[in-house]
Amino acid sequence: MAKVLLTGFEPFGGEPVNPSWQAVSLVGARRDDVAAVELPCAFEASLPALRAAVEEHRPSLVVCVGQAGGRLEVSLERVAINLIDARIPDNAGAQPVDVPVVPGAPAAYFTSLPVKACVAAIRAAGVPAAVSHTAGTYVCNQVFYGLRHHFSELRGGFVHVPFSPEQVAASGKPGASLGVDRVAVALEVLVDTALKTTEDLAVTGGAEH
Ligand code: PCA
């Protein structure tokens, strides 16, 4: 049985691919201890799909991964908020605005990944990475919040990844990108670091804005 569950998302927003799933599936193919599952980019279906994956694979560590176009680095998300405010419709056509992920539940949860140690290890492997303090208000934040609310006993968190160079090239506009192979390296380093780190590093990862 796999002890690590990695999830990526299906393409959304008009993109033909989603680098989160491309990288996650590479890691899943390389490692016996990792199960790779693709989640739908749809508010109604995403958390049931996550639940099914957790029940099937019974992991002790869950890392959900999503695309964050425009980001410069692999972003280790620190906070999930109990809010959905969709800027664009999801893949099922739903566009909820200002509704909670879980009615009556706490405003936010923190990741239980050692994000500072993971950032340091990913950078040491030659891939740009940083701590992020917002996972947005779309399906990724919903999945991150649901993971921490429904599976709080599991070690888990969320990682956003930049567009791939192929996506930026196809857009015909300048923009930040990171190759899917580099993202896959970062995810492997992250998994190894999370599995062996019980206490996070006390180094700064904060931001003024
Ligand atoms: N990124 C979106 C949803 C799916 C994905 O890969 C987000 O950041 O919410």
Side-chain angles (χ1 to χ4, degrees), residues 9-10 12 18 20 41 65-68 135 138-141 160:
F9 276 98
E10 65 183 6
F12 72 102
N18 189 320
S20 69
C41 184
V65 188
Q67 164 192 304
Y138 197 50
V139 183
C140 289
N141 173 73
H160 265 122

Side-chain angles (χ1 to χ4, degrees), residues 69-83:
R71 293 257 179 124
L72 306 174
E73 301 144 311
V74 172
S75 299
L76 286 277
E77 298 295 351
R78 208 167 190 188
V79 192
I81 61 174
N82 193 11
L83 176 70

Side-chain angles (χ1 to χ4, degrees), residues 2-98:
K3 59 180 174 182
V4 179
L5 173 64
L6 284 186
T7 70
F9 276 98
E10 65 183 6
F12 72 102
E15 292 290 325
V17 294
N18 189 320
S20 69
W21 171 242
Q22 292 177 304
V24 162
S25 59
L26 276 181
V27 178
R30 270 182 214 156
R31 290 176 59 140
D32 290 341
D33 63 339
V34 171
V37 171
E38 187 180 33
L39 298 181
C41 184
F43 289 104
E44 213 178 303
S46 60
L47 286 175
L50 177 66
R51 176 172 294 283
V54 169
E55 285 172 0
E56 182 184 347
H57 298 289
R58 299 261 155 230
S60 55
L61 172 68
V62 182
V63 182
C64 299
V65 188
Q67 164 192 304
R71 293 257 179 124
L72 306 174
E73 301 144 311
V74 172
S75 299
L76 286 277
E77 298 295 351
R78 208 167 190 188
V79 192
I81 61 174
N82 193 11
L83 176 70
I84 297 172
D85 186 355
R87 187 181 60 79
I88 56 172
D90 68 13
N91 285 355
Q95 191 173 6
V97 170
D98 293 354

